[in-house]
Amino acid sequence: MARPNEEVEALLQEYADLVTISGGDAYKARAYEKAARAIGGHHADVSRLDLKGLLDIPGVGKSIAEKVLEYLSTGRVSMIEEARTVIPAGVRELISIPMLGPKKAMVLYEELHISSVDQLLDALHEHKLRDLKGFGARTEENILHGIALLQQAGGRILIDAATDAAEQITAELSGVAGCERCAYAGSLRRMRETIGDVDILVAADRSAPLMEAFTALPVTAEVIAHGEKKTSIRTTKGLQVDLRVLPPDAWGAGLLYFTGSKAHNIRIRELAVRHKYKLSEYGLFHVKSGKKIVSATEEEIYARLGLPWIPPTLREDRGEIAAGLRDELPELVTEDDIRGDLHTHTDLTDGVAPLEEMVAAAARRGYTYYAVTDHAPNLYMQRMTDAKILAQREQVRALDGKHRRMRLLHGTELNIGPGGDLDWPDDFLAGFDLCVASVHSHFNQSREELTRRLIRACENPHVAVIGHPTTRQIGKRPGIDADFDAVFEACARTGTALEINSHPQRLDLCDEDVLRAKRYGVKFAISTDAHSVTHLPYMRYGVGTAQRGWLTKDDVINTWPLQKLRRFLRPGTH
């Protein structure tokens, strides 16, 4: 379930939006945004902190800290409640639309009295927005796309929230008497980027004690259905969770069936039919005699069908069964293969933790190398200077060796400008161990301009990795419209890696793009883009996306030994 830090982060961000909508002090709005990010990324549980502990969080002043304490003790903040009454609820609903900011939402309300998504759709179809200052045909397209994103997301949630809920529930149920095995299945086990509902499976001889324990969990807000074999609840965060209890000897068949995907299951059942078998959630059976052949493990069932065990992340009917029959399934990259993180930030720019804390947290993860890549000066709000980045380099060099088994790399995340230009000249870039280059603005350039922009960055001899290549934010912002096949070809030609950004809001490149890029011979970096210590464990989601893209550890540069990685990163090698 959501950490208290995340609840407070959402509350403070909402207040920042309310201040912006009402035309309030821009500095105040930015202060609340900064505090929201800092609390969301803080390693300690804010619900256990007193005023002094809250004041120790960067960006949290006394006024904000007092409001956090008020919320944690009462569940509300009077000032935010008052702000909500001033701003119509419909306007707050409009803010949830990707591509529509708070100021434009207020203009729509004041000028056209629009206070719902349906009213906005009507106005768009009647082209009423074009006469408003700051709106136009392109704005209409963007808003329509944002509404489509909102509707497409529906009740789906990001993978990290679903994982947190699933792991908490499976831990609770595993302790119930009679529970022999417990695991989550479905799209979450396949590591899909968004999850509609969570499927939990339990192996037990008696289902009643598990069903009772499930409905009595602290996270249960509503029991949707209660049965002997299946019970469904809605959690306090609005997530539907389905529990199925299987006979212990049917565990493998049930896990295979309920993991899916639907298309993969259809292919498996077709294969079973060709062998004169019938496959269900209870096992693999002879069609004629009805006798059960195997059911206890997935491995046994796949083997009877002439297949090796197929990792859940591949079960999307993308050729995995044909590859399995030819014994050509890839040995997928795992989180244990990752030797280091190549894209992270500190509080020198927009991170919330100091360099020493980020490095120590990386060392605790057992990494053999770790790169610090704060933003460069063309993102002006980060206030980076040559002097600041060089001073950080000295700090990094001084810390290198403090954690014996981990070497430090000093890098930067460059901004790819509208013309493909970068923040620093080549002679300055040559001093970095690693340069990641990313698009952060001007997303609405033409397809040709965006493509040329990315390719020009690839062709810079100092750029080793293109960060979050499509710039998408899941459910909030679509990816840019570039010719990515041309970009993938350029990356393969220049020896530039593409990032799989592990942040659950990005997962960029997505699995389908990874599959396409791999065909060009591109190499990849799985990185977290961590802005706090709590973001470093996001690596698991990037690895899951890489697996869905059929990557092996040879495809991923941060699984390589440091010496091999340095040869790849060294300027002038591509």
Side-chain angles (χ1 to χ4, degrees), residues 379-522:
L379 281 181
Y380 301 109
M381 73 287 293
Q382 305 301 343
R383 299 180 180 178
M384 179 56 77
T385 65
D386 294 10
K388 283 183 179 179
I389 201 74
L390 291 174
Q392 185 188 62
R393 184 173 299 163
E394 292 303 313
Q395 284 183 282
V396 169
R397 300 293 182 243
L399 281 171
D400 192 17
K402 180 179 178 182
H403 301 278
R404 279 189 197 173
R405 295 171 55 192
M406 187 175 77
R407 300 304 305 274
L408 297 182
L409 303 175
H410 186 241
T412 183
E413 184 184 12
L414 302 164
N415 183 53
I416 304 174
D421 49 300
L422 303 173
D423 307 67
W424 279 301
D426 284 355
D427 60 345
F428 196 85
L429 294 180
F432 289 99
D433 298 319
L434 163 67
C435 291
V436 178
S438 311
V439 171
H440 294 102
S441 63
H442 298 83
F443 304 126
N444 294 325
Q445 287 181 301
S446 70
R447 181 177 175 84
E448 294 74 19
E449 288 171 324
L450 286 164
T451 305
R452 190 163 55 245
R453 179 179 177 186
L454 284 164
I455 291 175
R456 187 178 168 198
C458 292
E459 291 173 341
N460 185 293
H462 300 289
V463 172
V465 181
I466 300 296
H468 44 74
T470 76
T471 80
R472 73 161 184 176
Q473 292 185 10
I474 298 171
K476 293 183 178 180
R477 185 174 72 210
I480 54 176
D481 180 23
D483 179 355
F484 276 100
D485 286 294
V487 174
F488 300 157
E489 189 175 16
C491 285
R493 170 172 53 84
T494 60
T496 308
L498 286 167
E499 180 178 76
I500 299 174
N501 189 297
S502 302
H503 196 292
Q505 292 178 356
R506 289 190 183 272
L507 296 179
D508 181 13
L509 290 172
C510 72
D511 56 348
E512 292 179 355
D513 287 338
V514 171
L515 274 166
R516 281 169 56 205
K518 179 180 168 69
R519 296 188 187 112
Y520 286 89
V522 175

